[in-house]
Amino acid sequence: MLTVSHRDLLAAFAATGRNHPYLAFTLNSLCNLDCVFCKPRCMPDYGHKDRPLNVADYAAIAREAGAWQVEKAHCSGGEPTLRADILDVIGALADGLGPDASIGLTSHGNLRKGLSIDRFHQAGLTYLNVSLHSLDPSRSATIMGGGDPHQARTTIDRALALGLKVKINCVLQRTYLNDAFEVAELAKSLPIAVRLIELQNIGPAQALFDTEFVSEAEARGHLIKWFADAGEISRGDLGVRSPGRYLQPMGWTGSIGFISNSSCATCSDANRIKITPTGVARPCILHNRDIPLKPHLADGTLSSAFGHLFRAMLERNSNEAWQGFHYVDYDLRWDRMERPESAPVLPVLPLIDANTSTSCAARPPRPREER
């Protein structure tokens, strides 16, 4: 049950006009593919450093989050579908947040034997993000270290048939730029949102960045004909809370968006509370406000933990990078990094020069109703 002070905290957050926070769970670091810009198995600490959260933990977190008016939970990895209990986790989150919640999953779409989108839908999944970087089986296998884009496409088609919202995540790479545009063109006939994602200069992608990076501005230059008469689709209509604009070319069924965390990343609308496999909640990558949830799960004090998280979100206003830009998206997904206890993990970075990317600088403030 929320205390008066917690209700005041919710009211203070609502008064900011920002999107209400949502939970972004990283369920594991394991993956049966090996994308060239990710390569989790190359990391010295591949796997779990500690025992991950279980289904009962996820259920308790979701119930508490629901009391704080959280209405969305997203699951990623690694490849989250490799968890033996993945359907139970989805069900626990759906039950905890309630019937109107959005429950999502990011996957490469090559589901293991015994899983199907039908079963995910029955468990409570409402939307699906599929990582797809080429439609050509050979080039896709080179990029992703295996898998089959045809199987991913089958997964996408079935999800759409069941009424799930579908987004495709496609990383821009210079060698495979035409492949990315072919993936984007799926939105011509399908009611999907294709997100073209800039390569980031972090982790294994650092080895590729200098030769493979393609900015949003450059990609838009190649797609002028598509965007000449495009209309904008609201993020609310798409069920999207991440930054970015989504454009629908004339006559297309779906839309194209950009996630540009290298050239023009903005944290002015960030509202994600990241929760790692072992239950460390991270409301911000620039401020050290992490809080381990396992002790609060054991003590029945999750309400206090969420109070901390909401205060941390509000205190981001004191960060000079808030309402501005930063170039770094640190890999905090897999309990990979030891966080200092009383200092920012990263230095506050200067605002990006608005003249460096007109496609970013021109973006209008995002209205509150698109929560």
Side-chain angles (χ1 to χ4, degrees):
M1 182 179 295
L2 297 182
T3 66
V4 173
S5 63
H6 290 162
R7 293 192 187 96
D8 291 342
L9 193 55
L10 279 176
F13 194 93
T16 68
R18 298 207 304 270
N19 285 348
H20 201 70
Y22 75 95
L23 304 181
F25 293 99
T26 300
L27 300 186
N28 59 4
S29 68
L30 307 174
C31 189
N32 54 348
L33 299 185
D34 201 33
C35 291
V36 293
F37 39 76
C38 184
K39 289 192 171 294
R41 283 173 280 185
C42 291
M43 305 307 291
D45 56 354
Y46 178 61
H48 301 302
K49 283 187 174 180
D50 194 2
R51 184 170 178 270
L53 298 176
N54 59 37
V55 172
D57 295 331
Y58 288 114
I61 293 170
R63 286 193 299 269
E64 184 61 39
W68 286 82
Q69 301 174 12
V70 172
E71 296 180 342
K72 176 181 174 180
H74 185 83
C75 299
S76 63
E79 174 54 40
T81 65
L82 295 183
R83 281 189 63 140
D85 59 357
I86 182 60
L87 294 174
D88 293 329
V89 171
I90 295 295
L93 296 176
D95 291 343
L97 293 184
D100 297 324
S102 296
I103 309 295
L105 179 78
T106 294
S107 169
H108 52 53
N110 286 242
L111 301 181
R112 60 181 169 83
K113 186 176 180 180
L115 286 182
S116 66
I117 287 300
D118 296 68
R119 296 188 68 188
F120 278 105
H121 180 55
Q122 292 163 6
L125 196 73
T126 64
Y127 73 92
L128 177 68
N129 294 358
V130 177
S131 299
L132 181 62
H133 309 292
S134 174
L135 301 180
D136 179 85
S138 177
R139 290 195 295 276
S140 177
T142 299
I143 297 169
M144 301 184 71
D148 182 355
H150 297 314
Q151 186 175 345
R153 176 62 193 273
T154 298
T155 299
I156 290 166
D157 289 342
R158 183 55 185 162
L160 290 172
L162 291 170
L164 274 67
K165 292 185 176 181
V166 175
K167 295 184 282 293
I168 292 178
N169 295 333
C170 181
V171 174
L172 293 167
Q173 296 183 84
R174 191 165 302 282
T175 299
Y176 302 101
L177 194 56
N178 287 333
D179 293 82
F181 295 157
E182 288 175 1
V183 170
E185 203 164 7
L186 289 175
K188 191 171 188 177
S189 59
L190 296 177
I192 59 177
V194 178
R195 290 145 20 129
L196 299 176
I197 303 171
E198 287 183 347
L199 196 67
Q200 288 186 268
N201 195 15
I202 58 173
Q206 289 176 305
L208 307 170
F209 191 82
D210 289 345
T211 56
E212 292 294 332
F213 174 72
V214 177
S215 69
E216 172 184 340
E218 180 181 343
R220 282 174 174 270
H222 290 287
L223 304 177
I224 289 175
K225 289 184 179 180
W226 287 0
F227 294 143
D229 298 312
E232 186 164 351
I233 307 296
S234 78
R235 296 182 307 147
D237 289 344
L238 293 173
V240 172
R241 296 194 183 194
S242 58
R245 293 177 68 193
Y246 290 80
L247 300 174
Q248 185 174 48
M250 184 71 70
W252 286 40
T253 302
S255 62
I256 301 173
F258 290 89
I259 304 296
S260 304
N261 287 336
S262 291
S263 69
C264 55
T266 175
C267 58
S268 61
D269 195 32
N271 63 329
R272 177 180 67 176
I273 295 174
K274 195 70 176 174
I275 300 178
T276 72
T278 65
V280 178
R282 291 174 168 147
C284 181
I285 66 169
L286 294 174
H287 275 174
N288 181 38
R289 298 292 187 270
D290 299 358
I291 183 169
L293 297 182
K294 280 189 175 182
H296 293 279
L297 284 162
D299 297 340
T301 55
L302 277 178
S303 183
S304 295
F306 269 82
H308 167 92
L309 293 169
F310 270 77
R311 282 191 296 273
M313 297 286 282
L314 285 171
E315 289 168 5
R316 290 162 95 166
N317 288 332
S318 65
N319 188 332
E320 293 177 14
W322 184 251
Q323 297 291 346
F325 303 90
H326 62 87
Y327 290 102
V328 182
D329 184 9
Y330 227 88
D331 186 0
L332 303 177
R333 295 172 294 171
W334 302 333
D335 305 308
R336 174 164 291 153
M337 179 180 173
E338 294 296 331
R339 302 269 270 191
E341 295 197 359
S342 59
V345 173
L346 298 172
V348 173
L349 299 173
L351 299 185
I352 194 171
D353 185 345
N355 294 323
T356 60
S357 178
T358 56
S359 63
C360 307
R363 289 178 180 170
R366 296 175 180 89
R368 181 180 173 187
E369 61 266 24
E370 289 187 9
R371 296 191 303 179

